[in-house]
Amino acid sequence: MTASANLWTHTNTEAVDARPLDADASADLVIIGGGFTGCAAALEAARSGASVVLLEAQSVAHGGSGRNVGLVNAGLWLPPEEVVAIMGEAAGPLLIEALGRGPETVFALIRDHGIACEAVQNGTLHLAHAPSGFRDLEERYRQGNRFGAPLQLLDRAETARRTGSERFHGALLDPRAGTVQPRAYCTGLARAAAGLGAAIHEQSPVTRVARSNGAWQVEANGHRVRARRLLVATNAYHAGAEGAYRPQYVAVSYCQFATAPLTAAQRAMVLPGGEGCWDTALVMSSIRTDAAGRLIVGGMGNSEGAAGAIHAGWARRKLKALYPALADLPFEHHWRGRIAMTRDHIPKVVEFAPEAYAVFGYSGRGICPGTVLGTAAARALLGAGAEALPLPVLPAYAERFTTLLGGYYEFGAALSHAAAPRLPV
């Protein structure tokens, strides 16, 4: 296995002309960050006829968007009644409805712009790792259907048929959802935006942000972009710059391990319908396949950190427990990404200055919320106002003890993975 060899980088066939910023520029909207949020915003701004400049410090989808599991899930990680309890009876249902339409928004963009990203809309499976997990799914099924989601509760036998594993106690199927190659999807958004006139610049780290005479001035590579409106879309990969707003969140790692491609016979057994899956365990894990038939096992934790060997050992044991016949199949790729987690697991839109938004905090649900909120943020900034967003715009947002909590989550993941042989899979 090649250390840190990101499968999504290896298999991405989408490309965008995104040369480094090499001259001063002006635009209606300047975006910092080339992930799902920034690229969706750039596409919407260009589609509406606005001029837009996007500045990415590394490459498009370098951060969490290019390291994502690739599950195009509807809604948030939280059950809908918890969303309403946190946000209120007016705001909660609006966000639930908007993100419930999220998969169709994503797949429509893929169709409309011909994005080559291995898109499969055959649903996702939320897997019960234990009897207690199935009870949790029964409650999520009740709540989801109450809010109009076409969820299906599957028994143990049907779950085994769909996954090819006997280890799960049932599942919740969301037929709206699906999977994509996430780096390709994000790159395709950028390519589509560039095709409509957006200026996309990679290798253009922002070094200074200031507001002067009613406009934003953003500096990168020694050059200046002047724009009336600003969107900060860096999420968990915010690098910081003089005068720039810094989103606050807890950074949590998630790692993935991809096998060699399965044989035709193995592919017919393992997730034959192509659903993407994650489980109900407190330290969550995921399984899915890609277009070439690789099986991808993911879990909380930093496989590139001090506990990397623990996480890698867990992935091998997890594969053996789920699919004994595949126990010796080699892992050919592994990588990890950072998740921006907020304390209430609700995304945040902060208007930190006039005509300037920061959007962040997807808590592991980046594809649909990033696409939906990036698109809506562009509309809001370009004239539609805060009403274009499906959640309230905050004047400020703060998190406490972020570094301490990030370390706590990594320790918990490492402890859980080290003890995995003695716990239910």
Side-chain angles (χ1 to χ4, degrees), residues 98 357 372-373 375-391 393:
Y357 287 164
V372 169
L373 295 182
T375 300
R379 292 172 181 164
L381 286 166
L382 292 170
E387 295 77 14
L389 285 150
L391 77 175
V393 175

Side-chain angles (χ1 to χ4, degrees), residues 73-355:
N73 278 316
L76 297 173
W77 178 76
L78 294 174
E81 288 181 4
E82 288 190 38
V83 175
V84 173
I86 293 167
M87 298 184 67
E89 294 290 339
L94 288 178
L95 183 61
I96 292 167
E97 181 181 1
L99 297 185
R101 297 193 305 269
E104 186 49 43
T105 299
V106 168
F107 288 112
L109 286 171
I110 292 168
R111 291 190 299 268
D112 292 347
H113 298 285
I115 300 175
C117 62
E118 303 181 14
V120 178
Q121 195 174 7
N122 283 354
T124 53
L125 296 170
H126 194 177
L127 302 168
H129 78 293
S132 60
F134 189 72
R135 291 191 291 273
D136 177 48
L137 294 184
E138 289 178 315
E139 179 60 18
R140 288 174 179 268
Y141 171 75
R142 181 192 68 78
Q143 291 189 30
N145 280 272
R146 177 193 163 199
F147 282 86
L151 305 179
Q152 301 172 34
L153 193 63
L154 308 182
D155 63 17
R156 187 165 192 162
E158 177 63 11
T159 301
R161 186 190 72 79
R162 287 175 178 264
T163 62
S165 175
E166 301 287 343
R167 301 291 292 190
F168 302 108
H169 295 257
L172 193 62
L173 168 67
D174 189 338
R176 300 170 296 181
T179 61
V180 295
Q181 207 276 34
R183 188 179 184 99
Y185 168 62
C186 188
T187 307
L189 291 176
R191 185 258 302 159
L196 293 174
I200 311 293
H201 297 288
E202 296 180 329
Q203 305 302 320
S204 301
V206 171
T207 53
R208 186 173 184 272
V209 177
R211 185 167 172 83
S212 176
N213 298 322
W216 290 98
Q217 298 182 56
V218 179
E219 296 180 15
N221 295 348
H223 300 285
R224 181 177 298 172
V225 178
R226 181 179 174 85
R228 180 178 169 186
R229 306 162 185 91
L230 169 65
L231 175 62
V232 175
T234 50
N235 205 36
Y237 284 77
H238 189 80
E242 181 186 345
Y245 175 81
R246 179 178 290 276
Q248 294 191 34
Y249 49 79
V250 177
V252 178
S253 288
Y254 197 88
C255 55
Q256 297 180 74
F257 300 80
T259 70
L262 307 183
T263 66
Q266 291 167 336
R267 293 181 73 173
M269 177 191 73
V270 176
L271 295 168
E275 301 96 337
C277 310
W278 78 106
D279 66 21
T280 55
L282 180 62
V283 180
M284 187 193 80
S285 63
S286 60
I287 54 173
R288 62 159 295 185
T289 55
D290 74 346
R294 300 176 182 89
L295 177 61
I296 305 161
V297 178
M300 305 294 292
N302 181 2
S303 60
E304 299 169 358
I310 292 174
H311 298 310
W314 164 83
R316 173 56 58 189
R317 297 192 303 276
K318 184 77 171 180
L319 177 63
K320 181 178 180 180
L322 294 179
Y323 301 104
L326 306 181
D328 297 325
L329 196 64
F331 288 125
E332 293 188 340
H333 300 268
H334 101 256
W335 65 101
R336 71 103 181 187
R338 291 198 301 271
I339 294 168
M341 184 177 293
T342 61
R343 60 178 174 268
D344 60 7
H345 305 299
I346 302 289
K348 307 302 173 193
V349 179
V350 177
E351 188 174 19
F352 58 88
E355 299 184 290

